[in-house]
Amino acid sequence: MIRNPVPWPNGARCAVAITLDMDADSLVHLAHPEDSTSRVSAISMLRYGPEVAVPRVLETYRRFGLRQTFFVPAWCIEQYPRAIEAMLSGGHEVAHHGYIHENPRDGTREDQRYWLRRGIEVIERVTGKRPRGWRAPLYNFSDHSADLLIEEGFVYDASLMGDDVPYVLRTERGELIELPSHWGLDDWPPYVHSLDLDYVMQVMAPERAIEGFKAEFEAMWEHRGLWIAVWHPFVSGRLARWRAVETLIEHMLGRGDVWFAPLEEIAAHVRRCIDDGTYAPRVDHLPYYREPVSVGR
Ligand SMILES: [Zn+2]
């Protein structure tokens, strides 16, 4: 089913990463700059992430002995220092997720470079090292993103959906490891319901949502792929949902031969395997198109 599985460390059958995007209330300020501060209920729902969910999640990770990745907009790093300190003291990775969750596709190449650098500066100051990885806010990877990430020394991106295993993004500037996921592993479709965020879905029971995530895991375990959950503390960190996540983690660990790791470690492993010739990744050349698609007639 997968033509080029990665030789995962210690003979593991698949690599697993729960990535939590701690967007907090950046989302409501971006969506409603004119009156966001009066939307107290929405802000309370989003602050649940750093205030309540992150400590809960970190306690779970501590109990299971896991280190994982958090993607955090730099504005949220400045706004919620206690949550970030707790992530860092648990040995977790804090990776780049925009400045205030701005849409990279809205700006020029120079605008995009400005926000990328502003985020790097905050992460470097707070964590003591440059970020290795990036996830575009709302998967809005632009046709300039790969070049800019390469120029700023990033090792990996985690925004795209082009494979079941890591692959390479190559541009004229160089290359980047892509650690892909997809909407089937995102917690917005099953859970998010918010008039303020203009996203109103019928809320799914945790057991049903987890069933989908678990089916994705079983396939990756069987075929030696990469399972990356794209979740959010304010969404999946709610009590009943996180309890279901703990059950899923127990199931995965019980399966055996599963490599749980932060994305920076997965990317470093993939890079080593490419360099020593034990992994031949698929390569996507970017940009996909240099001009608008016109079919004429
Ligand atoms: Zn986000």
Side-chain angles (χ1 to χ4, degrees):
M1 297 273 262
I2 292 177
R3 280 182 303 178
N4 58 335
V6 179
W8 297 119
N10 304 315
R13 294 198 59 106
C14 67
V16 162
I18 294 172
T19 61
L20 286 165
D21 296 2
M22 198 197 86
D23 298 332
D25 48 319
S26 66
L27 304 176
V28 71
H29 303 305
L30 198 73
H32 303 284
E34 67 299 334
D35 68 353
S36 65
T37 55
S38 70
R39 295 175 185 254
V40 177
S41 178
I43 294 174
S44 76
M45 173 187 77
L46 295 162
R47 282 174 64 104
Y48 184 97
E51 300 289 348
V52 180
V54 166
R56 171 179 297 153
V57 162
L58 292 174
E59 172 57 21
T60 300
Y61 289 168
R62 194 194 58 74
R63 232 161 5 89
F64 286 109
L66 306 179
R67 285 178 306 105
Q68 296 288 280
T69 299
F70 291 85
F71 287 95
V72 190
W75 178 83
C76 302
I77 294 177
E78 292 174 320
Q79 203 68 15
Y80 300 103
R82 257 189 320 181
I84 307 305
E85 279 162 28
M87 291 170 193
L88 293 173
S89 67
H92 304 285
E93 175 188 11
V94 175
H96 200 308
H97 193 44
Y99 184 73
I100 189 163
H101 216 267
E102 68 284 347
N103 179 351
R105 295 178 53 251
D106 275 348
T108 64
R109 188 178 179 101
E110 286 317 305
D111 293 335
Q112 294 176 39
R113 191 192 309 276
Y114 170 82
W115 293 113
L116 192 63
R117 284 189 174 162
R118 206 162 149 187
I120 292 170
E121 186 270 314
V122 172
I123 291 178
E124 205 167 10
R125 173 158 43 81
V126 171
T127 71
K129 63 178 193 182
R130 280 177 80 85
R132 308 279 201 284
W134 186 69
R135 173 172 290 143
L138 244 173
Y139 302 115
N140 275 313
F141 192 100
S142 84
D143 49 355
H144 301 298
S145 297
D147 277 350
L148 295 173
L149 293 171
I150 292 164
E151 284 170 11
E152 296 300 329
F154 281 80
V155 175
Y156 75 89
D157 171 71
S159 316
L160 303 183
M161 308 191 181
D163 212 324
D164 309 303
V165 286
Y167 60 107
V168 165
L169 303 178
R170 189 170 294 156
T171 79
E172 286 165 357
R173 299 279 192 284
E175 60 179 46
L176 205 57
I177 305 285
E178 176 60 36
L179 300 177
S181 188
H182 66 105
W183 278 106
L185 282 169
D186 192 303
D187 61 2
W188 274 62
Y191 289 143
V192 177
H193 180 103
S194 165
L195 291 169
D196 298 275
L197 300 180
D198 204 17
Y199 195 96
V200 180
M201 299 285 282
Q202 188 175 8
V203 176
M204 221 184 248
E207 290 69 23
R208 280 201 58 208
I210 290 289
E211 200 179 297
F213 302 143
K214 192 173 166 185
E216 298 285 344
F217 165 74
E218 300 298 352
M220 290 304 187
W221 190 87
E222 195 178 328
H223 296 288
R224 303 181 175 276
L226 170 66
W227 183 97
I228 298 179
V230 183
W231 296 343
H232 303 77
F234 87 92
V235 181
S236 283
R238 284 269 165 188
L239 195 60
R241 297 168 184 172
W242 194 253
R243 196 177 58 159
V245 167
E246 285 197 333
T247 308
L248 177 64
I249 294 173
E250 275 169 9
H251 170 78
M252 290 166 152
L253 292 172
R255 265 285 198 196
D257 297 328
V258 173
W259 184 39
F260 266 96
L263 294 191
E264 62 178 337
E265 291 183 16
I266 295 177
H269 173 74
V270 171
R271 184 77 257 170
R272 273 194 302 276
C273 292
I274 293 172
D275 291 346
D276 69 17
T278 54
Y279 181 52
R282 210 170 54 74
V283 177
D284 263 9
H285 295 266
L286 293 181
Y288 287 133
Y289 299 99
R290 291 191 183 274
E291 51 192 41
V293 172
S294 162
V295 293
R297 55 167 284 166

